Amino acid sequence: MSGRLLRLVCTAAVAVGTVLAPLPAAAVPEPEPRERSIADLVTDLQRLYREAEEATETYNATEEKLKEKRAEVTRLDTQLSQTRLSLHDSRGAAGRLARQQYQNTTSISPYVRLLLARDPQHALDQGHVIGQLARERAVTVGRLTGTEHRADELARRARKALDDQLTLAARQKQQRDDVQEKLADVEALLASLTAEQLTRLAEFEEKGVEKAQQELTTSGALGEEDRKPTRKGETALRYARRQLGKPYEWGAEGPKTYDCSGLTSEAWAHAGIPIPRTSQEQWARLPRIPLEELRPGDLVIYFPKATHVALYMGRGKVIEAPRTGERIKISPIAAHPLLGAVRPDSHAPQEARGTARPATDDPAPARR
């Protein structure tokens, strides 16, 4: 086959292949995303709120540590200043003694001076004075040495405390950014919902709370007796009632805005009983009580990580600072998954018994 013919055959084969090649399939439109159910939206929204509250409590805990470290730095600086003044005085006294010793230096020993003295008794008295001066010199030198060591140790501790303060401040900044990021996620989800979805979501949450409250109150977990508050518990409750209607703000301790643990810690502080700042520390350090022994003024703790807290009012109600965008209000005790309860004015720690509506990692419909 000639070269020209071969080229013609190859060209024809290519043309045929091009003609017979299967045409590309028509573009199939992607199915439109299914509208998310209200239950899914509630689950996501509550997860985001819970993450934001966890980040807030972490931020609050760091803030408390930072306050303690600032106080330590101030205390050490004050002690160091006082020690340096004392060191200055001790060095002055040591200098005076050194000059006196130089001026009184003689090549004759005290024993020979005693033998040559016209008045031995006077010499003995003078020797006693010299001995007393020697003891004073020893005390002065010892005090100088001790003061120098103390100044060095205080300077070391002050530097360490300052380094810790700077580390905590950097950590707090990161935690503040984490909170703001979580809240931005909440805002983005809410902004994506229609007015109808928002209405249905609120109704869904309210029905979930009503159901949980009904189950809790009929289970007998709260006990049958309606107990009265202690005097201090009533004082804490009065303070909390005066804050009703004020906005929630993460990290706030009043007097214009509060977060959940900011409200409870301030309420009990006004009752004369300082308690930890965060809900996690309140749960960890305050005496726990069974739900059936709840009395007004006790603190009710929520969620598995103890990231929310409210004051019990009695009759199955609590006062709480709910979440960003809401105001301090009265809510059913079952508005969130219960973890347990603690009593700030209890003198005998008790083992927490009995909880209702177990706090799991799965968010349940709730209204804050």
Side-chain angles (χ1 to χ4, degrees), residues 251-266:
E253 305 176 68
K256 295 182 179 180
T257 58
Y258 297 84
D259 62 17
C260 66
S261 55
L263 175 64
T264 55
S265 59
E266 285 298 304

PDB file of all heavy atoms in Angstrom, residues 251-266:
ATOM      1  N   GLY A 251     -19.610  36.118  79.635  1.00  0.00           N
ATOM      2  CA  GLY A 251     -18.511  36.688  80.404  1.00  0.00           C
ATOM      3  C   GLY A 251     -18.913  37.795  81.355  1.00  0.00           C
ATOM      4  O   GLY A 251     -18.049  38.337  82.048  1.00  0.00           O
ATOM      5  N   ALA A 252     -20.209  38.153  81.419  1.00  0.00           N
ATOM      6  CA  ALA A 252     -20.635  39.311  82.211  1.00  0.00           C
ATOM      7  C   ALA A 252     -21.051  38.898  83.622  1.00  0.00           C
ATOM      8  O   ALA A 252     -21.652  37.849  83.830  1.00  0.00           O
ATOM      9  CB  ALA A 252     -21.782  40.037  81.517  1.00  0.00           C
ATOM     10  N   GLU A 253     -20.756  39.781  84.594  1.00  0.00           N
ATOM     11  CA  GLU A 253     -21.113  39.556  86.005  1.00  0.00           C
ATOM     12  C   GLU A 253     -21.987  40.677  86.544  1.00  0.00           C
ATOM     13  O   GLU A 253     -22.043  40.874  87.754  1.00  0.00           O
ATOM     14  CB  GLU A 253     -19.844  39.450  86.849  1.00  0.00           C
ATOM     15  CG  GLU A 253     -18.853  38.407  86.405  1.00  0.00           C
ATOM     16  CD  GLU A 253     -17.579  38.428  87.214  1.00  0.00           C
ATOM     17  OE1 GLU A 253     -17.632  38.073  88.416  1.00  0.00           O
ATOM     18  OE2 GLU A 253     -16.536  38.813  86.672  1.00  0.00           O
ATOM     19  N   GLY A 254     -22.651  41.420  85.678  1.00  0.00           N
ATOM     20  CA  GLY A 254     -23.500  42.495  86.131  1.00  0.00           C
ATOM     21  C   GLY A 254     -22.748  43.817  86.152  1.00  0.00           C
ATOM     22  O   GLY A 254     -21.570  43.885  85.810  1.00  0.00           O
ATOM     23  N   PRO A 255     -23.392  44.892  86.556  1.00  0.00           N
ATOM     24  CA  PRO A 255     -24.798  44.871  87.012  1.00  0.00           C
ATOM     25  C   PRO A 255     -25.822  45.021  85.890  1.00  0.00           C
ATOM     26  O   PRO A 255     -27.008  44.852  86.127  1.00  0.00           O
ATOM     27  CB  PRO A 255     -24.858  46.083  87.940  1.00  0.00           C
ATOM     28  CG  PRO A 255     -23.867  47.037  87.332  1.00  0.00           C
ATOM     29  CD  PRO A 255     -22.759  46.197  86.778  1.00  0.00           C
ATOM     30  N   LYS A 256     -25.374  45.293  84.660  1.00  0.00           N
ATOM     31  CA  LYS A 256     -26.337  45.507  83.578  1.00  0.00           C
ATOM     32  C   LYS A 256     -26.597  44.243  82.769  1.00  0.00           C
ATOM     33  O   LYS A 256     -27.686  44.071  82.224  1.00  0.00           O
ATOM     34  CB  LYS A 256     -25.844  46.618  82.647  1.00  0.00           C
ATOM     35  CG  LYS A 256     -25.766  47.987  83.316  1.00  0.00           C
ATOM     36  CD  LYS A 256     -25.307  49.050  82.337  1.00  0.00           C
ATOM     37  CE  LYS A 256     -25.264  50.422  83.000  1.00  0.00           C
ATOM     38  NZ  LYS A 256     -24.808  51.478  82.049  1.00  0.00           N
ATOM     39  N   THR A 257     -25.611  43.378  82.650  1.00  0.00           N
ATOM     40  CA  THR A 257     -25.752  42.131  81.899  1.00  0.00           C
ATOM     41  C   THR A 257     -25.080  41.002  82.675  1.00  0.00           C
ATOM     42  O   THR A 257     -24.197  41.239  83.509  1.00  0.00           O
ATOM     43  CB  THR A 257     -25.101  42.244  80.509  1.00  0.00           C
ATOM     44  OG1 THR A 257     -23.706  42.578  80.668  1.00  0.00           O
ATOM     45  CG2 THR A 257     -25.778  43.316  79.658  1.00  0.00           C
ATOM     46  N   TYR A 258     -25.492  39.764  82.366  1.00  0.00           N
ATOM     47  CA  TYR A 258     -24.963  38.589  83.066  1.00  0.00           C
ATOM     48  C   TYR A 258     -24.892  37.413  82.105  1.00  0.00           C
ATOM     49  O   TYR A 258     -25.665  37.341  81.144  1.00  0.00           O
ATOM     50  CB  TYR A 258     -25.885  38.177  84.229  1.00  0.00           C
ATOM     51  CG  TYR A 258     -26.033  39.185  85.339  1.00  0.00           C
ATOM     52  CD1 TYR A 258     -26.957  40.215  85.233  1.00  0.00           C
ATOM     53  CD2 TYR A 258     -25.259  39.100  86.494  1.00  0.00           C
ATOM     54  CE1 TYR A 258     -27.108  41.147  86.261  1.00  0.00           C
ATOM     55  CE2 TYR A 258     -25.403  40.020  87.521  1.00  0.00           C
ATOM     56  CZ  TYR A 258     -26.327  41.041  87.403  1.00  0.00           C
ATOM     57  OH  TYR A 258     -26.479  41.959  88.408  1.00  0.00           O
ATOM     58  N   ASP A 259     -23.976  36.476  82.416  1.00  0.00           N
ATOM     59  CA  ASP A 259     -24.128  35.143  81.860  1.00  0.00           C
ATOM     60  C   ASP A 259     -24.643  34.258  82.988  1.00  0.00           C
ATOM     61  O   ASP A 259     -24.897  34.738  84.108  1.00  0.00           O
ATOM     62  CB  ASP A 259     -22.827  34.626  81.228  1.00  0.00           C
ATOM     63  CG  ASP A 259     -21.678  34.487  82.229  1.00  0.00           C
ATOM     64  OD1 ASP A 259     -21.940  34.473  83.452  1.00  0.00           O
ATOM     65  OD2 ASP A 259     -20.517  34.393  81.777  1.00  0.00           O
ATOM     66  N   CYS A 260     -24.813  32.961  82.715  1.00  0.00           N
ATOM     67  CA  CYS A 260     -25.525  32.118  83.688  1.00  0.00           C
ATOM     68  C   CYS A 260     -24.817  32.067  85.043  1.00  0.00           C
ATOM     69  O   CYS A 260     -25.424  32.295  86.090  1.00  0.00           O
ATOM     70  CB  CYS A 260     -25.737  30.718  83.120  1.00  0.00           C
ATOM     71  SG  CYS A 260     -24.213  29.765  82.846  1.00  0.00           S
ATOM     72  N   SER A 261     -23.514  31.774  85.046  1.00  0.00           N
ATOM     73  CA  SER A 261     -22.801  31.657  86.313  1.00  0.00           C
ATOM     74  C   SER A 261     -22.460  33.025  86.905  1.00  0.00           C
ATOM     75  O   SER A 261     -22.239  33.141  88.116  1.00  0.00           O
ATOM     76  CB  SER A 261     -21.523  30.832  86.124  1.00  0.00           C
ATOM     77  OG  SER A 261     -20.715  31.380  85.104  1.00  0.00           O
ATOM     78  N   GLY A 262     -22.420  34.052  86.033  1.00  0.00           N
ATOM     79  CA  GLY A 262     -22.251  35.402  86.564  1.00  0.00           C
ATOM     80  C   GLY A 262     -23.426  35.792  87.442  1.00  0.00           C
ATOM     81  O   GLY A 262     -23.256  36.420  88.494  1.00  0.00           O
ATOM     82  N   LEU A 263     -24.635  35.398  87.032  1.00  0.00           N
ATOM     83  CA  LEU A 263     -25.841  35.692  87.812  1.00  0.00           C
ATOM     84  C   LEU A 263     -25.833  34.936  89.140  1.00  0.00           C
ATOM     85  O   LEU A 263     -26.076  35.519  90.199  1.00  0.00           O
ATOM     86  CB  LEU A 263     -27.087  35.326  87.007  1.00  0.00           C
ATOM     87  CG  LEU A 263     -28.420  35.474  87.739  1.00  0.00           C
ATOM     88  CD1 LEU A 263     -28.690  36.926  88.108  1.00  0.00           C
ATOM     89  CD2 LEU A 263     -29.572  34.925  86.884  1.00  0.00           C
ATOM     90  N   THR A 264     -25.545  33.628  89.110  1.00  0.00           N
ATOM     91  CA  THR A 264     -25.603  32.838  90.344  1.00  0.00           C
ATOM     92  C   THR A 264     -24.508  33.242  91.326  1.00  0.00           C
ATOM     93  O   THR A 264     -24.751  33.325  92.539  1.00  0.00           O
ATOM     94  CB  THR A 264     -25.497  31.336  90.023  1.00  0.00           C
ATOM     95  OG1 THR A 264     -24.296  31.092  89.259  1.00  0.00           O
ATOM     96  CG2 THR A 264     -26.698  30.874  89.215  1.00  0.00           C
ATOM     97  N   SER A 265     -23.289  33.508  90.819  1.00  0.00           N
ATOM     98  CA  SER A 265     -22.202  33.873  91.733  1.00  0.00           C
ATOM     99  C   SER A 265     -22.449  35.242  92.363  1.00  0.00           C
ATOM    100  O   SER A 265     -22.185  35.447  93.560  1.00  0.00           O
ATOM    101  CB  SER A 265     -20.859  33.845  90.997  1.00  0.00           C
ATOM    102  OG  SER A 265     -20.850  34.738  89.906  1.00  0.00           O
ATOM    103  N   GLU A 266     -22.975  36.190  91.590  1.00  0.00           N
ATOM    104  CA  GLU A 266     -23.272  37.506  92.139  1.00  0.00           C
ATOM    105  C   GLU A 266     -24.434  37.448  93.132  1.00  0.00           C
ATOM    106  O   GLU A 266     -24.428  38.144  94.152  1.00  0.00           O
ATOM    107  CB  GLU A 266     -23.594  38.488  91.010  1.00  0.00           C
ATOM    108  CG  GLU A 266     -22.389  38.947  90.225  1.00  0.00           C
ATOM    109  CD  GLU A 266     -21.404  39.702  91.086  1.00  0.00           C
ATOM    110  OE1 GLU A 266     -21.796  40.709  91.722  1.00  0.00           O
ATOM    111  OE2 GLU A 266     -20.234  39.285  91.148  1.00  0.00           O
TER     112      GLU A 266
END
